[in-house]
Amino acid sequence: MSEKTTPSREHVVAVVQRFIDGFGSGRWTESDVVLGAVADDAEWWIAGRGSRSGDVTKQIMAERFRGTAERAASGLVLTPRAWIVEGNRAAVELAGSMELQDGSVYTNQYHFAFTVEGDQIVEIREYWDTSALD
C-alpha cells in the first residue's frame, strides 16, 4: 500500500487556477478547456434548491456550458477575493462578471471548495446565487 503525498500549496493553487482560467475562458463549447482541470468522475455539488443545484457530473456541466455559449458575449471574468489552501484542499471566493449577447451584464459571487488529487480536481462544492441566471 503506497502513501499519498500531500501536494504543495503551489501545486494545489496551480490546478485550481487552471479550473478558474478554463471556467472564465469563454470557450463554452470546448469542455476540454472549460473543464480540463476536472476529473471525469469528479464529485460536484452545487448549493441551492433549483434545477441548477444538487449533485452534477462533469458531463452535465459541459452541457450547461454549451448552453451558456448561446447567451454569453464574452468569457466570465473571475476575480479571486480570497484563497485558503490546506493540504490538497482549496477554498476560493470569487467575483464574476460576464457580458451577455443582449447587452446586459451577468454578475455573481462564488465560493468554491476544491479537493485536488494529482493534476485534477476530484471534488467541487460550489456556492453561488443560482437565480442570477434567470
Side-chain angles (χ1 to χ4, degrees):
M1 186 192 244
S2 66
E3 280 186 43
K4 287 186 180 180
T5 59
T6 301
S8 69
R9 181 185 194 287
E10 293 76 18
H11 179 76
V12 172
V13 169
V15 172
V16 171
Q17 188 63 55
R18 191 163 46 107
F19 171 83
I20 293 168
D21 293 345
F23 191 56
S25 71
R27 295 167 64 181
W28 306 113
T29 60
E30 300 174 55
S31 60
D32 60 324
V33 173
V34 177
L35 298 170
V38 178
D40 289 341
D41 61 348
E43 295 179 24
W44 195 324
W45 175 85
I46 301 172
R49 292 195 181 119
S51 63
R52 294 180 182 95
S53 304
D55 294 315
V56 295
T57 63
K58 181 177 178 178
Q59 294 72 29
I60 289 170
M61 291 307 294
E63 188 86 12
R64 289 180 183 178
F65 286 134
R66 283 190 285 279
T68 301
E70 298 170 8
R71 296 179 66 189
S74 66
L76 177 61
V77 177
L78 291 167
T79 306
R81 300 278 191 219
W83 286 77
I84 298 172
V85 180
E86 184 176 297
N88 69 333
R89 296 182 47 83
V92 185
E93 181 184 348
L94 301 146
S97 176
M98 175 174 58
E99 184 179 350
L100 300 177
Q101 290 184 7
D102 66 4
S104 64
V105 177
Y106 160 83
T107 59
N108 215 325
Q109 301 293 317
Y110 300 87
H111 181 275
F112 287 94
F114 299 100
T115 302
V116 173
E117 288 183 9
D119 290 331
Q120 294 193 302
I121 296 166
V122 296
E123 182 182 14
I124 300 172
R125 297 188 59 81
E126 181 177 349
Y127 303 84
W128 61 290
D129 181 3
T130 56
S131 69
L133 284 178
D134 297 331

